[in-house]
Amino acid sequence: MPKRALLEHRPWLLAAIAAATVYFFVRGWPLGELWLILLKGASVGFLAVYAWQRHASAEGRLLALVMALSALGDMLLELDFIWGGAAFFASHLAAMTLYLRNRREAPETSQKALAVALLIGTPLISWLFTRDAGIALYALGLGGMAACAWMSRFPRYRVGFGAILFVISDWLIFARMGPLASSALPGLLVWPAYFAGQFLIATGVIKTLRRNV
């Protein structure tokens, strides 16, 4: 990366990683609810700033919106599960718009099959974990986002895989409401899987947009 890009853009990625890492280790500390909420939101919030600064196209702005809505969802989840879910659902709709504007030409049959599996399997597994129709409806948007990401022209093993990590992180949250209620595994894996997924999505989309300038 050129020196100017390093000075102007990579610090937002480093700030995102630093905020996410600190949040993971201090979230159980008595720092005060407000500070923890702001630290949590800053993690993906810095990715929104990165996207906004790195590419001034409509797609770059859409990506920034996706990340900003996700950061809002991260914070709202600490206050109200429904409002947090609504913010993430809006984020998924914005992400689907981004991916549908950038569809992959002539996808292979296996790619189509996985996209269908994500679209159908995500809400189905979410419902099996929780038996909650509202969560299944939310997960339909989540699965739609992941399916559209996999079928987009963005790199599958960065953006597509990042979207799948997002799905896995939400599955772990839902499993904590059911079969993994007494397990410590979700608490250890939800945040790393979620942030890694968002990081891969943000950097993968921007890399493709800049390469095609």
Side-chain angles (χ1 to χ4, degrees):
M1 180 177 290
K3 184 177 180 180
R4 181 178 177 184
L6 174 62
L7 293 174
E8 294 182 357
H9 303 297
R10 186 170 288 180
W12 296 116
L13 296 180
L14 295 177
I17 294 171
T21 303
V22 171
Y23 173 75
F24 179 77
F25 287 106
V26 307
R27 55 192 169 155
W29 294 8
L31 297 178
E33 185 178 24
L34 178 60
W35 290 110
L36 287 175
I37 290 173
L38 292 175
L39 181 60
K40 185 182 184 185
S43 303
V44 176
F46 283 131
L47 294 181
V49 178
Y50 163 78
W52 185 273
Q53 293 283 338
R54 200 75 175 110
H55 209 273
S57 64
E59 277 77 8
R61 298 303 187 235
L62 259 177
L63 176 62
L65 177 62
V66 169
M67 295 297 154
L69 287 170
S70 293
L72 178 62
D74 285 329
M75 292 185 288
L76 288 176
L77 278 178
E78 299 301 312
L79 303 174
D80 186 273
F81 190 77
I82 294 177
W83 281 107
F88 272 113
F89 191 81
S91 173
H92 299 328
L93 294 179
M96 283 189 276
T97 301
L98 171 64
Y99 300 140
L100 290 173
R101 285 167 58 106
N102 293 271
R103 291 187 292 271
R104 181 179 297 273
E105 295 183 3
E108 298 177 3
T109 302
S110 60
Q111 296 165 2
K112 295 178 181 178
L114 181 55
V116 171
L118 286 168
L119 179 62
I120 298 174
T122 302
L124 177 60
I125 292 175
S126 300
W127 182 81
L128 290 174
F129 280 153
T130 64
R131 305 296 171 137
D132 187 298
I135 287 178
L137 179 61
Y138 160 82
L140 182 61
L142 174 66
M145 178 278 293
C148 289
W150 194 257
M151 293 292 287
S152 73
R153 69 185 179 96
F154 301 117
R156 289 188 301 274
Y157 297 106
R158 182 173 289 190
V159 176
F161 182 63
I164 291 174
L165 281 176
F166 197 141
V167 171
I168 291 173
S169 72
D170 274 2
W171 275 346
L172 287 168
I173 292 174
F174 302 149
R176 190 163 51 190
M177 301 176 184
L180 296 182
S182 59
S183 173
L185 194 63
L188 293 173
L189 298 181
V190 167
W191 182 252
Y194 164 74
F195 180 76
Q198 294 283 48
F199 187 89
L200 288 172
I201 290 169
T203 55
V205 170
I206 290 298
K207 180 179 180 180
T208 301
L209 294 177
R210 290 186 59 81
R211 186 179 61 211
N212 294 338
V213 169

